[in-house]
């Protein structure tokens, strides 16, 4: 899984989650944990992507609480790209 594919996946999860619904939040947590386990087990993600995934898992509650800052909208390609870049900066801060 590439970094860009993961960021797109994470953005999709945050677009679908209802932060006020514990069941919805639980599904997002489970989905994220499953994709991380699959990436680890398959060896199909590079080190940067794995660190990004782990950062997303560690900051998931924050991401869910602020999901509106990261949600994608159909047809808004450039805006969605900027939101994914922000996601990357939150999950894997670097210079």
């Amino acid at each position: 899984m590439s970094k860009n594919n993961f960021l797109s996946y994470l953005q999709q999860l945050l677009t679908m989650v209802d932060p006020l619904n514990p069941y919805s939040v639980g599904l997002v947590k489970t989905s994220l944990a499953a994709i991380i386990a699959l990436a680890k087990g398959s060896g199909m993600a590079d080190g940067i992507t794995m660190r990004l995934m782990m950062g997303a898992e560690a900051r998931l509650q924050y991401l869910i609480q602020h999901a509106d800052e990261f949600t994608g909208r159909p047809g808004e390609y450039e805006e969605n790209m900027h939101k994914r870049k922000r996601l990357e900066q939150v999950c894997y801060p670097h210079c």
Side-chain angles (χ1 to χ4, degrees):
M1 174 172 260
S2 72
K3 176 180 76 167
N4 291 333
N5 284 344
F6 174 71
L7 288 169
S8 179
Y9 176 74
L10 181 58
Q11 185 178 45
Q12 290 172 45
L13 289 176
L14 294 172
T15 299
M16 293 185 282
V17 71
D18 176 359
L20 302 177
N21 181 336
Y23 180 70
S24 178
V25 171
L27 288 172
V28 168
K29 288 179 180 181
T30 300
S31 297
L32 185 57
I35 199 70
I36 291 170
L38 186 59
K40 280 182 186 176
S42 69
M44 298 299 291
D46 62 27
I48 292 173
T49 304
M50 287 305 305
R51 284 190 291 275
L52 180 65
M53 290 176 160
M54 302 304 279
E57 188 173 44
R59 293 167 183 84
L60 187 58
Q61 195 59 43
Y62 172 86
L63 295 174
I64 290 171
Q65 289 173 346
H66 297 89
D68 57 326
E69 296 177 29
F70 307 109
T71 57
R73 299 195 198 289
E76 295 183 12
Y77 303 109
E78 192 169 322
E79 181 67 24
N80 292 343
M81 182 185 64
H82 289 296
K83 289 181 178 184
R84 283 191 299 275
K85 190 67 175 168
R86 169 110 169 88
L87 261 176
E88 180 181 5
Q89 292 170 348
V90 170
C91 296
Y92 183 57
H94 57 281
C95 297

